[in-house]
């Protein structure tokens, strides 16, 4: 397993198995290979379209690397097993789609509360409920943010292509490890099943991060403390004789339950929030195209950012001053940058494969004098360059 | 801090002192189960550093988590066995034990229980069957006897109880035994065996909840409940010769199965070895 000390062996295996170069592969495969490069050696899941190829690739590849594939009895069990495995030191992942993501919400909250690193891939498909099972969508933007109960922060990453997915899943693992927190990877059925060129790098080009471990007994005794002031407690792994107690109930710094003292709850939940707020530099990421002189801004995410870029390029050819802003970490939303850009443009278009979700985040950061308009399409078919371009022309 | 009384109790060395006293009601069978578990660990001379205890949500879930001094994972309602599965894969050389209630493990968690037994993963489950949902105030459970009164069966329970041990024995577990809190020595022996079996083991303990079950079913004293257990317990050898009518309302006790079957995590590791060998990935 990729735990400190195993690197030389793992690098040897990765190098032997996956030659650097260009491959023609599905987005789902790119996610799986990225996870393997990130050090994921434990996968527990339950099959669901359009995510199943991630499970299939992991089931085929993990044993070669000495890793574990478990097909659990359902999604609830899958994320539960991941949490258990993460406390033994594994980097862990699962992949699912909307209905499975809904089932995982309870234990996603558990992972937030117990500060358990894990990566949860949600290959978004058309809903509500079983909806159009095989069709892509972007309808889980807020399920990622607010799906589980309570007052919790969350980090969610969303890539725009197969190649991007390879690198972004590695980034998702690094964020999870660095901040000791679950990270949601918002993929979608369209990219998941698109075959395109993905360049596999040499192992040396991949930077990976490990969770902080306790440096001494004192730190190990406070699995939920904040000895380094960054809000991220070192994680005393099971099996090292620390006698760690982990509970999803409100707990003190030593892990013991205290659900009666308001200050204990306040201190814990505020630290969980502070940990995410204070470490913005660890996860904040966005892409910008032609934003310098833009008068109209397109804000888009995930799969839709691609036709959005096509539309921006075409509009530029027509002399329309359009810029494109693509949040890559969608939660917490890059609000500061959004605010700055919002001040400089007179219209903002937000294309997405839903009836208007990320647009609500954009709205929070722009003034009323900006024309804000969604470009929305549902039914499982992605937006086209033409459809977005038409809207750009409409506000030009 | 630890009241004086605990220092007289030899098993206290296994307990998380800062978590004491326990939150269990006086007379609750949970104390007996904790005692039996600590004695089993003591008699086997197991180092608590080699133990990971996982539990769900309910009074019974608290028995060993947080009170037992080991790595303890107190999870969501019903999911303890699934969490424990991940722990066992990561720490195959440790003893992974799940202690939780009948509502937790057999109702909401019934599917995980069944499939862990089918996989035959090497974890030990101590299932505390008190016929009721204690923690939430005495509602009907899937184990509540036919005809019994609970807060949500105020007239009488018209559902049939799940026979947990029989079901899990059939599902493929390596070891299954059932005792009551009135059979403490047999219980300790079974926990010891379960901990040593390589494969899925279940010890079902019929336990008294005088506060939520006894009180509503004419047994408000813990001792009355223990007498009820003793009077109605039938050893499994004898039960085999009895008719279903004769067994109605009885507690069949003893060992249901004790057998060897391929175990999940060792099979998983064997498979990894074979795959690495096949693809020429082993370092030579
Ligand atoms: C998802 C979920 N549903 C319901 C509950 C509420 N709940 C807490 S304990 C419990 C029942 C516990 O019964 P049992 O496992 O038999 O344990 P006992 O308290 O009787 O020992 C329930 C339903 C919960 N915590 N989580
Ligand atoms: S309610 Fe019942 S099961 Fe819970 S602690 Fe009290 S006696 Fe025990």
């Amino acid at each position: 397993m990729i735990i400190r000390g195993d690197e030389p062996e793992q690098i040897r295996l990765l190098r032997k198995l996956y030659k650097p170069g260009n491959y023609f592969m599905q987005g789902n495969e790119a996610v799986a290979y990225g996870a393997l490069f990130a050090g994921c050696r434990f996968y527990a899941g339950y099959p669901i379209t359009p995510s199943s190829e991630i499970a299939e690739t992991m089931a085929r590849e993990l044993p070669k690397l000495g890793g574990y594939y478990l097909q659990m009895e359902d999604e609830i069990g899958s994320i539960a097993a991941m949490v258990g495995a993460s406390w033994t030191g594994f980097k862990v992942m699962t992949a699912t789609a909307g209905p499975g993501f809904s089932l995982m919400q309870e234990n996603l909250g558990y992972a937030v509360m117990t500060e358990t690193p894990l990566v949860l891939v949600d290959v978004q498909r058309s809903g509500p409920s079983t909806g159009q099972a095989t069709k892509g969508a972007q309808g889980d933007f807020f399920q990622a943010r607010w799906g589980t109960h309570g007052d919790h922060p969350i980090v969610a990453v969303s890539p725009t292509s197969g190649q991007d997915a390879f690198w972004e899943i590695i980034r998702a693992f690094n964020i999870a490890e660095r901040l000791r927190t679950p990270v949601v990877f918002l993929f979608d059925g369209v990219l998941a099943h698109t075959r395109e060129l993905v360049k596999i790098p040499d192992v040396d080009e991949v930077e990976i991060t490990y969770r902080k471990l306790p440096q001494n007994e004192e730190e190990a005794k406070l699995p939920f403390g904040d000895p380094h002031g960054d809000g991220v407690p070192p994680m005393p792994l099971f099996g090292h004789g620390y006698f760690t107690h982990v509970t999803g109930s409100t707990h003190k710094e030593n892990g013991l339950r205290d659900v009666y003292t308001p200050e204990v709850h306040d201190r814990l939940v505020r630290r969980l929030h502070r940990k995410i707020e204070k470490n913005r530099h660890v996860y904040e990421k966005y892409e910008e195209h032609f934003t310098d002189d833009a008068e109209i801004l397109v804000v888009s995410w995930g799969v839709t950012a691609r036709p959005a870029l096509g539309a921006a390029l075409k509009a530029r050819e027509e002399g329309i001053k359009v810029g494109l802003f693509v949040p890559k970490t969608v939660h917490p939303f890059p609000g500061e940058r959004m605010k700055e850009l919002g001040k400089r443009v007179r219209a903002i278009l937000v294309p997405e494969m839903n009836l208007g979700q990320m647009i609500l985040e954009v709205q929070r950061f722009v003034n009323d004098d900006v024309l804000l308009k969604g470009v929305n399409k549902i039914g499982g078919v992605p937006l086209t360059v033409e459809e977005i371009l038409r809207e750009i022309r409409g506000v030009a | 801090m630890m009241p004086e009384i605990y220092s007289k109790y030899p098993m206290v060395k296994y307990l998380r002192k800062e978590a004491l006293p326990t939150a269990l009601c006086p007379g609750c069978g949970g104390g007996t189960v904790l005692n039996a578990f600590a004695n089993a660990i003591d008699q086997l001379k197991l180092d608590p550093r080699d133990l990971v205890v996982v539990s769900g949500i309910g009074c019974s879930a608290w028995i060993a988590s947080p009170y037992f001094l080991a790595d303890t994972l107190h999870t969501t309602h019903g999911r303890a066995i699934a969490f424990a599965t991940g722990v066992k894969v990561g720490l195959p050389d440790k003893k992974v034990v799940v202690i939780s209630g009948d509502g937790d493990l057999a109702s909401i968690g019934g599917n995980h229980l069944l499939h862990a037994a089918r996989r035959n993963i090497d974890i030990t489950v101590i299932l505390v069957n008190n016929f009721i949902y204690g923690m939430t105030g005495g509602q009907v459970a899937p184990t509540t006897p036919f005809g019994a009164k609970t807060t949500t069966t105020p007239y009488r329970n018209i559902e049939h109880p799940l026979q947990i041990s029989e079901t899990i024995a059939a599902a493929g577990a390596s070891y299954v035994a059932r005792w009551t809190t009135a059979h403490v020595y047999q219980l300790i022996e079974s926990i010891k065996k379960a901990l040593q079996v390589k494969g899925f083991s279940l010890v079902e303990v019929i336990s008294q909840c005088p506060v939520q079950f006894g009180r509503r079913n004419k047994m408000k004293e813990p001792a009355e409940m223990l007498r009820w257990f003793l009077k109605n317990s039938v050893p499994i050898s004898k039960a085999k010769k009895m008719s279903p009518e004769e067994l109605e309302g009885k507690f069949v006790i003893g060992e249901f199965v004790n057998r060897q079957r391929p175990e999940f995590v060792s099979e998983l590791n064997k498979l990894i070895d074979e795959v690495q060998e096949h693809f020429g990935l082993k370092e030579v």
Side-chain angles (χ1 to χ4, degrees):
Chain A
M1 67 176 92
I2 286 215
I3 292 210
R4 264 142 292 213
D6 273 1
E7 291 93 339
E9 167 68 358
Q10 286 295 332
I11 288 171
R12 179 184 76 81
L13 288 173
L14 285 168
R15 214 169 250 146
K16 186 156 183 184
L17 285 165
Y18 315 117
K19 300 267 172 277
N22 292 330
Y23 293 83
F24 188 58
M25 66 167 82
Q26 263 191 2
N28 274 343
E29 292 170 297
V31 169
Y33 288 114
L36 297 174
F37 273 73
C40 173
R41 294 294 177 271
F42 183 97
Y43 181 101
Y46 191 79
I48 182 169
T49 306
S51 76
S52 300
E53 294 84 1
I54 299 179
E56 288 161 3
T57 308
M58 295 305 265
R60 193 183 61 229
E61 301 302 320
L62 271 172
K64 298 181 190 169
L65 292 156
Y68 298 87
Y69 172 86
L70 266 66
Q71 189 160 307
M72 293 297 286
E73 48 277 4
D74 56 31
E75 286 84 355
I76 305 174
S78 302
I79 180 163
M82 284 163 74
V83 171
S86 185
W87 275 92
T88 72
F90 277 117
K91 291 189 179 183
V92 300
M93 181 174 87
T94 193
T96 186
F101 190 26
S102 300
L103 289 181
M104 289 182 182
Q105 289 294 347
E106 184 197 32
N107 284 336
L108 179 62
Y110 183 90
V112 170
M113 192 62 154
T114 56
E115 301 177 73
T116 307
L118 60 84
V119 174
L120 193 170
V121 178
D122 172 26
V123 185
Q124 297 168 90
R125 67 185 217 182
S126 185
S129 191
T130 27
Q132 298 168 285
T134 59
K135 306 284 189 198
Q138 290 181 294
D140 299 349
F141 184 82
F142 283 118
Q143 187 183 192
R145 177 66 194 89
W146 296 112
T148 189
H149 59 283
D151 216 3
H152 62 90
I154 201 84
V155 178
V157 168
S158 190
T160 56
S161 69
Q163 180 73 73
D164 197 33
F166 179 89
W167 288 106
E168 287 296 285
I169 195 84
I170 294 171
R171 199 169 69 86
F173 271 98
N174 287 346
I175 298 167
E177 292 288 315
R178 173 77 179 71
L179 297 186
R180 214 185 122 180
T181 197
V183 172
V184 178
F185 189 80
L186 279 176
F187 208 35
D188 67 85
V190 181
L191 292 179
H193 285 165
T194 300
R195 282 186 184 276
E196 55 185 338
L197 187 131
V198 174
K199 183 170 180 277
I200 298 290
D202 185 76
V203 202
D204 280 346
E205 293 168 53
V206 181
E207 234 178 89
I208 60 174
T209 306
Y210 294 107
R211 66 195 68 171
K212 219 185 322 176
L213 300 180
Q215 295 303 305
N216 49 48
E217 285 291 319
E218 273 323 291
E219 285 192 6
K221 283 204 188 96
L222 298 176
F224 304 92
D226 184 11
H228 305 151
D230 59 352
V232 188
M235 186 170 178
L237 301 177
F238 283 176
H240 293 255
Y242 295 131
F243 298 148
T244 304
H245 180 55
V246 180
T247 175
S249 299
T250 292
H251 44 271
K252 294 177 285 196
E253 285 72 5
N254 65 6
L256 284 184
R257 186 173 184 274
D258 178 350
V259 300
Y260 303 108
T261 317
E263 294 74 31
V264 171
H265 185 82
D266 186 281
R267 199 160 69 227
L268 170 61
V269 177
R270 279 186 201 275
R271 181 177 58 74
L272 295 179
H273 279 268
R274 193 173 67 241
K275 168 169 95 166
I276 303 301
E277 276 157 29
K278 263 185 89 161
N279 290 291
R280 201 165 266 276
H281 62 279
V282 174
Y283 57 79
E284 186 157 86
K285 188 176 171 190
Y286 44 79
E287 266 174 27
E288 292 186 25
H289 303 268
F290 328 115
T291 45
D292 286 353
D293 64 343
E295 289 164 8
I296 298 166
L297 187 68
V298 178
V299 184
S300 197
W301 64 291
V303 56
T304 311
R306 289 170 75 171
L309 178 59
L313 287 166
K314 286 220 159 144
R316 282 269 161 186
E317 280 169 21
E318 293 175 16
I320 307 172
K321 288 198 169 160
V322 179
L324 174 65
F325 182 61
V326 182
K328 302 302 282 288
T329 297
V330 295
H331 297 299
F333 195 71
E336 282 308 308
R337 185 62 186 152
M338 188 65 246
K339 210 186 264 177
E340 286 162 22
L341 292 172
K343 282 187 196 135
R344 310 208 309 239
V345 297
R346 61 182 170 74
I348 297 178
L349 295 175
V350 186
E352 29 182 356
M353 283 177 77
N354 57 42
L355 291 181
Q357 296 199 11
M358 197 180 76
I359 193 172
L360 296 173
E361 279 288 51
V362 175
Q363 190 176 30
R364 293 203 298 137
F365 297 101
V366 297
N367 292 334
D368 287 350
D369 55 357
V370 177
L371 172 75
L372 180 62
K373 194 161 180 265
V375 183
N376 309 98
K377 185 171 174 182
I378 52 173
V381 184
L383 278 152
T384 63
V385 170
E386 271 309 314
E387 283 165 335
I388 299 171
L389 183 59
R390 205 182 308 143
E391 297 294 327
I392 295 173
R393 288 195 196 114
V395 295
Chain B
M1 266 288 89
M2 180 177 53
E4 190 71 20
I5 178 170
Y6 292 111
S7 59
K8 296 202 179 78
Y9 170 59
M11 293 300 127
V12 78
K13 60 186 176 206
Y14 295 112
L15 303 187
R16 217 186 279 282
K17 297 174 190 70
E18 62 276 28
L20 297 174
T22 78
L24 303 177
C25 308
C28 174
T32 307
V33 178
L34 178 57
N35 199 356
F37 180 61
N39 274 279
I41 297 295
D42 197 59
Q43 289 177 24
L44 289 177
K45 299 195 167 50
L46 283 180
D47 185 338
R49 288 186 193 85
D50 293 331
L51 264 182
V52 181
V53 187
V54 186
S55 66
I57 299 288
C59 302
S60 309
W62 286 7
I63 291 173
S65 150
Y67 302 121
F68 204 85
L69 187 60
D71 286 331
T72 41
L73 187 62
H74 183 228
T75 70
T76 45
H77 188 41
R79 314 301 168 197
I81 289 175
F83 280 87
T85 299
V87 173
K88 185 68 195 184
V89 172
L91 297 171
D93 299 330
K94 305 281 176 191
K95 302 272 181 211
V96 179
V97 182
V98 171
I99 305 184
S100 224
D102 51 299
D104 187 77
L105 292 168
S107 187
I108 184 169
N111 203 29
H112 306 302
L113 178 62
L114 208 58
H115 288 282
R118 173 183 67 77
R119 281 184 194 110
N120 201 29
I121 184 167
D122 185 23
I123 59 183
T124 296
V125 176
I126 301 176
L127 186 153
V128 184
N129 180 357
N130 57 13
F131 311 123
I132 198 95
Y133 285 15
M135 183 168 275
T136 39
Q139 298 83 9
V140 71
T143 46
T144 304
F146 187 83
K149 294 219 169 129
T150 73
T151 57
T152 49
T153 55
Y155 307 112
R156 66 186 167 89
N157 179 26
I158 55 150
E159 294 185 20
H160 302 281
L162 179 68
Q163 299 300 336
I164 296 169
S165 287
E166 287 82 345
T167 307
I168 296 312
S174 271
Y175 182 83
V176 176
R178 180 194 281 134
W179 299 104
T180 78
T181 44
H183 300 84
V184 181
Y185 292 99
Q186 295 93 324
L187 175 61
I188 294 173
E189 286 310 311
S190 270
I191 296 176
K192 279 160 64 183
K193 276 194 193 171
L195 285 166
Q196 287 168 295
V197 160
K198 180 115 182 119
F200 188 84
S201 51
L202 170 78
V203 180
E204 179 182 349
V205 195
I206 291 173
S207 174
Q208 74 277 18
C209 169
V211 174
Q212 300 294 7
F213 185 85
R215 178 159 58 101
R216 295 190 178 87
N217 291 281
K218 304 198 179 79
M219 290 174 283
K220 68 178 191 299
E221 295 299 328
E224 290 174 69
M225 294 202 75
L226 291 175
R227 277 195 288 274
W228 175 48
F229 295 163
L230 282 174
K231 206 168 133 224
N232 290 286
S233 294
V234 180
I236 185 163
S237 50
K238 202 168 151 200
K240 281 186 181 139
K241 295 176 212 129
M242 289 165 71
S243 69
E245 293 74 43
E246 288 173 301
L247 282 171
E248 188 65 43
K250 300 280 188 260
F251 312 120
V252 179
I253 53 168
E255 271 182 14
F256 286 69
V257 284
N258 188 355
R259 61 190 165 199
Q260 283 197 326
R261 285 179 75 217
E263 190 272 330
F264 179 70
V265 182
S266 21
E267 289 302 309
L268 206 48
N269 282 313
K270 234 184 343 188
L271 180 82
I272 290 170
D273 273 352
E274 283 166 23
V275 170
Q276 291 196 320
E277 193 101 28
H278 173 80
F279 286 99
L281 296 165
K282 291 252 183 223
E283 195 135 38
V284 273

